[in-house]
Every structure is written in structure tokens, then in C-alpha cells.
Amino acid sequence: MKKKTVSVLLAAAMALGTLAGCGNSAGTQAPAAEEPAAEQPAAEEPAAEEPAAEEPAAEEPAAETATWEGTLKVAAFEGGYGADMWTQVVQAFEASHPGVTVELTVDKKIEDVITPGMKAGDYPDVVHCATGREAGLTETIMKENGLLALTDVMEMTVPGENVKVKDKIVPGFLDTLATNPYGDGVTYYAPMFYSPCGLFYNAGLLEEKGWTVPTTWDEMWELGDKAKAEGISLFTYPTAGYFDAFMFAALCSSGGSEFFDRCMSYEDGIWESEEVKKVFDIVAKLAEYTEPTTVANANNENFTKNQQLILDNKAIFCPNGTWLPAEMQDAPRSENFKWGFTALPAVNAGGTGSSFCWFEQMWIPAAAENQDLAKEFVAYMYSDEAAKIFAASNAIQPITGISASLEGDNKLFYSVYDSGATAVMGGFAATAPVEGASMKDALCRTVDSIVSGDKTVDDWVAECETISDKYRAALQ
């Protein structure tokens, strides 16, 4: 089953691609202030300019490794990647910053560990804890305006390297509500480990039949007819809840990243738009090609039966995330089975495929004591050194070109954007609780009723618009 929220998942990495947002310290740098003085003699002695210009370059390693001192408190969520990678990253950071000591806390329930201290005014300097978790700590801090802006971190040079943080991060990750939660263009969350979502299939079956992976929905329907003639369904899904990634990707594909953000912000009338109708109509037609037992098993107890359908060649495509192969690693499968993965076809003719991307977040509390040193640590997260340590535990940073270092299935999954697919990121804007209503249920859970025929697309549109109105009134 999909791991809870963005604290998910994951493995491997993403290379260059087109991504849409479809959303008073103990550490100081004294030597940086000394450089202008070193440059003045060069201005007075033109003949000596060349040697003088070389001196700052010679001093740079010292500035990277010897100018920070103090104690940094780091709190990190222990997800499926384990705690060892955090220990190793901290050790590497301390080695490259000899004057720094890191007090590391890693726990599967990190919120329970650090919240009591925070209530007493004792804040970690850096927190790795994603949005969407049951405890809601990250959202609470955001709603209380307790986050430190990280826009200046994106302009910092990655420690030990000669490139800015923003230039290491795959384009698009900094243009989403998942990093800019207030929608004001200011980055408050640093994007961490990520996982692309899309359509999984048995590549061996398509090779055997001579069928090609559809790149348009018209091609998808043609494949559905061919498969139906051989007793194979085109589509299945684990539970309707998995349609969040599907719908987000399709909505962005239909109307673009700005349109997607309008959907996520509950704009009045947005769910009655033509762009939404296109997406809902696609799902309604997909329902005609969905394996008949899907809805009956689309629940927390039997969802793996639906996933098993693609391993048994009873259905071709199943929406999911990169955790699926590990989840089904011990399941029986057809002969010559091998995982295939593709983005959703473009909604509009001439468009590109789209794939929703889950990712975790790191942030600095506005009340953190060592903010400058905390920023240095966040910047270090995007170093090649840190990325290599994380990747060894299958936790992948959104760093450009990283998919080139992957192997096997992970290389296939994380190179989806290399082929031109748009990565869609973000989610619904934060609101006060809305009693008796769920925007996700309206958008995703209704799919069961569409597949069973109990509701029409018009019913779906009306329900989403009604619930969206309630959420808009509760916007923070």
C-alpha cells in the first residue's frame, strides 16, 4: 500500500526534465569579510593583478571547511530508508565543517519527540518532516508562520562545490505550493527525497504482443480494444485513493501549471471548467476498460489483488509510485514479466506526458537558534557527497543528472522525466478543518462510483465544486 503521504517511498533519482508546479547563529563566516581587504593591493598594483586574483581561489577550500563553528540540532523523520543514512550524512558534514558538532535526533515519530521541547521554546535548528503526515506538525508550524524563509539558501553555493543550490535542484521543484506554501513565491521548504508516480505495466507482455506504450489517449483506447479482444483489461487501480497522483498530473496536463494551482486553491467555478471536464471524461472512458473485479477489491484489505492483475497479465496498466515493485516483490508473476513504467499520456494533442512527483521536505523553524549554520546544513543536502550517501539507501535527492547514476528498475522509474514528461508537484492549499467534507474524497474516491456506473461525470463535477466552495471559505 502507498506509504503515508510524502514521507514516502522511494528509490533512485531524476535527471534534467521539464517540471511544473502543477506548485544570530553559532556558525559564522568571518573570512568572507576579509576578502575585500585582500583585493585592494591588486587594485593598486596592476602588474600584480593576476597573482592577486589567484589568492582568493586558494583560500576558498578553507572558507568551506574551517569557518563554521558551533552546535547544530537536527531532527529527522526515520522513514523507509532507515536512520543510518542520517548518521553518515551528519558525520560527513562534520568532517567538512571541523568546528561544528551536530546533535542528531532520528525517529519514526519525530513529531512526538520534538514537539514537547518546541512548546517549551527549545527548537531544533533543522527539521526533516514532510507535510501530509498524520501528526500535522509541519502544517501547524506553517499555519503559525513559524517557518524561516529559505530563498537565500537557494542562492548559496553548495558547500564544497562551485554551484548554487538552486542550480543543483531539478527545475520546477521550487515552483510549487509544496515548497512555497504561502503561494507568495518565497521558498520555505527545501525539497528532499522524491518519487515519480505514473502507470506501471508488464513490459514483457507488450513485447510479446508487439504492442507499443501509448503516448496519447487515442492510442490508449486503441490498445484497450486490442487487449479486450484477447481477454485482457486495459486498466486497474489499487484503491481510488491512488487517483490523487493521477488526477493531479492529468489536471496539470489539461490546463497547465497555473491552472493546476487554481484547482489546488479552490478557485470559484474551477471544477466546472472545460479543462476539468476533459480529465473527468478521460477517467469515465477509462472506466469502460477497467478490469471488472477492480472496484470490489479497491480497499485497504484487498488492494494487492488489483496490483496482482498486471503481474498475471489480466490488466495492463496500474497507477502507482516507485514503491510498487518492492511491495510486490514476493508475489507470483507471469513468465517473462518485467516492470515497465510510463507517464500519463498528454490530455491535449501535441502536449507532453505528465507524472506527479511526491517529495519530502526539510525546513528551519523561525525560532531556531543557529539559523545561519542551519542554512549551511540545508545547502549541504544538495552536495554530491550527501546525495551519494542518501542514494545508497534509495533516498533520492531532486538533483539534476542524478538518474544517470542509477541502475535497474530505479533507472527506468526515475528517468521518466528525461524522456520529456512534465513533473507535476504540489497539492491542495492548507485550510482550516472542514467538517463533514473531504476534497480528496470528492476528487478521487468518486472514481469508484464512476467505474461502477453509480455516478456520472456531471455528478462528479457538481460534487467537487460544492466541496471546493467549502474549502475556499476555510482557506488560511
Side-chain angles (χ1 to χ4, degrees):
M1 190 64 171
K2 177 167 56 178
K3 296 180 182 177
K4 290 185 180 178
T5 63
V6 231
S7 133
V8 251
L9 335 133
L10 329 144
M14 177 188 310
L16 288 168
T18 305
L19 291 92
C22 282
N24 308 341
S25 161
T28 56
Q29 280 185 296
E34 296 173 5
E35 286 189 26
E39 289 175 4
Q40 285 180 9
E44 294 170 9
E45 301 178 67
E49 277 182 9
E50 251 182 63
E54 291 173 7
E55 286 182 23
E59 291 175 5
E60 279 183 15
E64 291 288 353
T65 59
T67 60
W68 295 94
E69 60 181 21
T71 298
L72 184 73
K73 294 184 291 186
V74 176
F77 166 69
E78 179 186 348
Y81 317 118
D84 288 348
M85 66 178 189
W86 287 107
T87 301
Q88 294 174 37
V89 163
V90 163
Q91 290 172 346
F93 180 77
E94 289 177 333
S96 62
H97 297 70
V100 174
T101 298
V102 178
E103 294 181 357
L104 174 65
T105 302
V106 184
D107 198 276
K108 293 179 179 179
K109 294 186 177 181
I110 193 64
E111 301 94 334
D112 294 346
V113 175
I114 64 177
T115 296
M118 291 168 66
K119 289 181 177 178
D122 182 14
Y123 284 77
D125 297 305
V126 179
V127 180
H128 167 259
C129 183
T131 56
R133 285 179 50 75
E134 186 176 355
L137 172 64
T138 300
E139 288 88 344
T140 298
I141 296 296
M142 182 269 290
K143 291 175 184 178
E144 295 175 349
N145 296 312
L147 297 169
L148 185 71
L150 302 181
T151 302
D152 57 341
V153 176
M154 301 302 122
E155 296 292 338
M156 290 173 58
T157 298
V158 176
E161 300 179 11
N162 293 312
V163 60
K164 289 185 178 181
V165 172
K166 68 177 184 181
D167 294 329
K168 284 292 289 283
I169 297 175
V170 175
F173 272 83
L174 301 178
D175 303 321
T176 163
L177 290 172
T179 49
N180 307 333
Y182 302 110
D184 56 1
V186 178
T187 300
Y188 287 89
Y189 296 135
M192 293 289 284
F193 321 126
Y194 77 98
S195 173
C197 299
L199 300 176
F200 285 78
Y201 62 95
N202 177 6
L205 172 64
L206 268 62
E207 291 174 3
E208 175 188 330
K209 299 292 186 181
W211 297 338
T212 57
V213 178
T215 58
T216 68
W217 285 104
D218 284 340
E219 291 177 358
M220 184 70 80
W221 311 138
E222 291 175 7
L223 176 60
D225 291 336
K226 291 178 183 178
K228 184 182 294 185
E230 299 200 24
I232 303 172
S233 297
L234 177 67
F235 189 72
T236 187
Y237 56 90
T239 71
Y242 276 66
F243 269 86
D244 49 6
F246 184 106
M247 297 302 293
F248 290 167
L251 288 169
C252 189
S253 176
S254 180
S257 59
E258 183 181 348
F259 172 80
F260 174 70
D261 287 342
R262 288 161 59 198
C263 292
M264 297 300 98
S265 300
Y266 320 105
E267 181 179 300
D268 189 18
I270 197 70
W271 298 101
E272 298 170 329
S273 66
E274 185 60 32
E275 291 86 350
V276 167
K277 184 72 161 38
K278 286 181 183 179
V279 173
F280 285 11
D281 283 342
I282 285 173
V283 175
K285 186 159 186 176
L286 200 55
E288 301 173 13
Y289 292 91
T290 298
E291 203 279 336
T293 64
T294 294
V295 174
N297 291 318
N299 52 62
N300 291 340
E301 291 72 39
N302 297 316
F303 71 95
T304 56
K305 292 182 178 180
N306 289 338
Q307 294 176 170
Q308 184 68 39
L309 293 172
I310 61 171
L311 277 70
D312 293 339
N313 291 339
K314 294 180 179 179
I316 298 180
F317 293 109
C318 179
N320 223 304
T322 53
W323 58 88
L324 176 62
E327 193 168 69
M328 302 299 289
Q329 62 182 349
D330 297 325
R333 58 204 63 206
S334 60
E335 188 177 354
N336 298 324
F337 179 91
K338 61 180 178 180
W339 289 107
F341 179 71
T342 186
L344 269 65
V347 171
N348 300 313
T352 59
S354 57
S355 165
F356 187 78
C357 180
W358 292 109
F359 65 88
E360 304 180 31
Q361 297 115 321
M362 176 174 278
W363 42 277
I364 300 174
E369 181 179 353
N370 300 322
Q371 294 181 1
D372 290 340
L373 186 53
K375 291 178 179 179
E376 175 77 358
F377 185 81
V378 172
Y380 176 77
M381 295 297 97
Y382 301 96
S383 66
D384 291 343
E385 184 176 52
K388 183 177 181 180
I389 293 171
F390 286 135
S393 294
N394 285 332
I396 307 305
Q397 293 291 79
I399 294 175
T400 30
I402 196 169
S403 68
S405 65
L406 302 177
E407 299 178 351
D409 290 339
N410 283 333
K411 186 172 184 63
L412 167 68
F413 304 150
Y414 283 86
S415 62
V416 64
Y417 305 111
D418 300 345
S419 302
T422 296
V424 182
M425 291 169 284
F428 286 112
T431 71
V434 178
E435 188 175 353
S438 169
M439 194 64 223
K440 180 176 178 179
D441 284 355
L443 179 61
C444 302
R445 301 288 179 187
T446 305
V447 170
D448 281 342
S449 298
I450 296 296
V451 175
S452 66
D454 293 335
K455 289 186 178 180
T456 67
V457 167
D458 288 342
D459 295 333
W460 196 5
V461 166
E463 183 175 357
C464 285
E465 186 64 25
T466 298
I467 301 301
S468 181
D469 289 343
K470 296 180 179 180
Y471 273 76
R472 184 172 61 258
L475 275 170
Q476 295 296 305

